[in-house]
Amino acid sequence: METRDGTQAGWELVVDAIGPKVRALRRERGLTLQQLAHAADVSAASVHKVERGDMVPTVTTLLKIAGALEVPIRHFVEDSDAGPLGVRTRWRGVDSAEPVTLTGPAERFRSTGTVLCLEPGAEHRPARRPGECLLVVLAGSVSVVVADETHDLGASEALHFPTRHDHRFTNGGRTVAELITVTVPEP
């Protein structure tokens, strides 16, 4: 339903966002349509139609999907534009042993950015998922293996690659390697 000025009504924006939110969470969790459907006890065709926006789920169906994805139902119906448009993060001065997430909430953004510090001899093996990754080396050096290709990168170098292949980052140098990765799942 359009308002008098030709824009979409607020509730329609919320309804239109349900499918993409379901799809994003399903993919983030590495589930197929059939796996989500089985876990939610709904048909795979229904999940597919909801994700594509061809069907507005009933409250019962949405509750089942939310339960299977382990999120509250409000995740799908809250206005994702509430609050500031930009999400600010900081990574200096934090424990560098674990990757630090740079990006905002998954319900608002598709890409995920992380800062990763690899000690000499350390290796990081991200999950294999459909999508792509842009890796930027800020300091040190790293060897990146994607499928059977090896790329040796130093500071101020970057590599862009599909994440559907096995991949790993290894620091074979003598100093800490500081990396930023930006991953984007397939739509």
Side-chain angles (χ1 to χ4, degrees):
M1 178 179 179
E2 288 187 1
T3 60
R4 287 185 182 171
D5 64 358
T7 60
Q8 205 173 14
W11 64 267
E12 286 183 324
L13 294 172
V14 171
V15 169
D16 289 349
I18 292 172
K21 288 178 180 181
V22 170
R23 182 176 46 251
L25 278 176
R26 176 180 61 78
R27 288 182 172 169
E28 181 181 302
R29 285 158 173 71
L31 298 172
T32 65
L33 280 168
Q34 293 77 15
Q35 289 170 327
L36 175 56
H38 179 73
D41 194 28
V42 297
S43 72
S46 292
V47 173
H48 183 65
K49 287 178 182 178
V50 167
E51 285 189 359
R52 289 180 39 150
D54 294 339
M55 179 179 100
V56 177
T58 65
V59 172
T60 302
T61 299
L62 195 55
L63 280 166
K64 289 178 175 184
I65 290 172
L69 292 170
E70 299 178 336
V71 295
I73 194 171
R74 74 174 179 273
H75 171 84
F76 299 108
V77 295
E78 284 182 336
D79 183 5
S80 61
D81 287 333
L85 294 177
V87 177
R88 184 176 177 175
T89 56
R90 177 184 193 95
W91 77 86
R92 296 279 183 213
V94 297
D95 180 13
S96 63
E98 293 294 321
V100 177
T101 301
L102 298 176
T103 47
E107 64 270 8
R108 289 183 53 201
F109 302 100
R110 284 189 43 231
S111 65
T112 303
T114 57
V115 172
L116 178 64
C117 295
L118 288 177
E119 295 291 330
E123 181 178 82
H124 180 66
R125 290 181 180 257
R128 188 172 104 173
R129 294 194 172 114
E132 59 189 72
C133 177
L134 175 63
L135 178 140
V136 179
V137 181
L138 300 176
S141 61
V142 66
S143 179
V144 181
V145 177
V146 180
D148 59 354
E149 295 179 4
T150 301
H151 303 270
D152 294 319
L153 305 173
S156 302
E157 292 187 301
L159 181 67
H160 196 172
F161 60 93
T163 56
R164 69 179 174 272
H165 303 285
D166 287 327
H167 52 284
R168 67 181 183 275
F169 318 141
T170 306
N171 181 355
R174 296 181 180 178
T175 61
V176 173
E178 188 171 345
L179 320 170
I180 289 184
T181 63
V182 178
T183 56
V184 180
E186 278 187 5

